Amino acid sequence: MSKKVLVVEDEEYLHGRWHRELDSKMVLVSALSIEEAEEKFSANPDIDAIVMDACVPGDEPTTPPLVRKFRSTFAGPMIAISSLPEYRAELVSAGCDHESTKDSLPQKLLEVLGL
């Protein structure tokens, strides 16, 4: 059974890159907005992990409330992604378990999911 990962990131090209790198190893469920993330989270109760960008959209962290909301019902691993360490730290304090740069995400997901 493939692991299913919700990826919340507003840069579409990154979804494409990660799909190319990871599709043979897991199922990625892409969300480009906070609203879409909430919809996909509700529609996929079998999610094994969540990847959360800090700024969806924009240049300031907008997703910490979403992390807290998901964390209230989701016990699996959550990975904070951002190019800025302080934004990743903000997501970790909101409830993410791990952090990663966007470039290192494929390796981090494989590690966190034990694949």
Side-chain angles (χ1 to χ4, degrees):
M1 180 91 189
S2 284
K3 299 281 188 180
K4 187 184 276 190
V5 179
L6 174 62
V7 180
V8 183
E9 162 62 62
D10 59 330
E11 295 290 342
E12 224 169 314
Y13 78 94
L14 287 171
H15 288 275
R17 191 175 112 206
W18 294 330
H19 275 280
R20 284 190 298 280
E21 289 185 47
L22 295 168
D23 267 353
S24 64
K25 299 169 182 74
M26 63 191 71
V27 175
L28 299 180
V29 177
S30 294
L32 297 167
S33 69
I34 289 174
E35 296 76 21
E36 188 177 10
E38 290 179 305
E39 290 167 13
K40 300 267 177 100
F41 181 76
S42 295
N44 292 278
D46 57 341
I47 287 173
D48 295 294
I50 297 173
V51 173
M52 187 70 69
D53 182 23
C55 307
V56 178
D59 299 322
E60 295 295 321
T62 57
T63 58
L66 186 61
V67 169
R68 287 189 286 277
K69 180 177 183 177
F70 286 171
R71 185 48 80 202
S72 69
T73 60
F74 182 74
M78 293 178 73
I79 303 171
I81 58 169
S82 175
S83 47
L84 297 175
E86 58 269 28
Y87 288 178
R88 294 194 304 267
E90 195 171 328
L91 291 179
V92 168
S93 66
C96 286
D97 310 287
H98 307 275
E99 59 178 277
S100 175
T101 63
K102 294 179 183 187
D103 286 341
S104 302
L105 179 63
Q107 297 84 351
K108 186 67 170 183
L109 263 174
L110 294 170
E111 171 193 317
V112 166
L113 294 173
L115 301 173

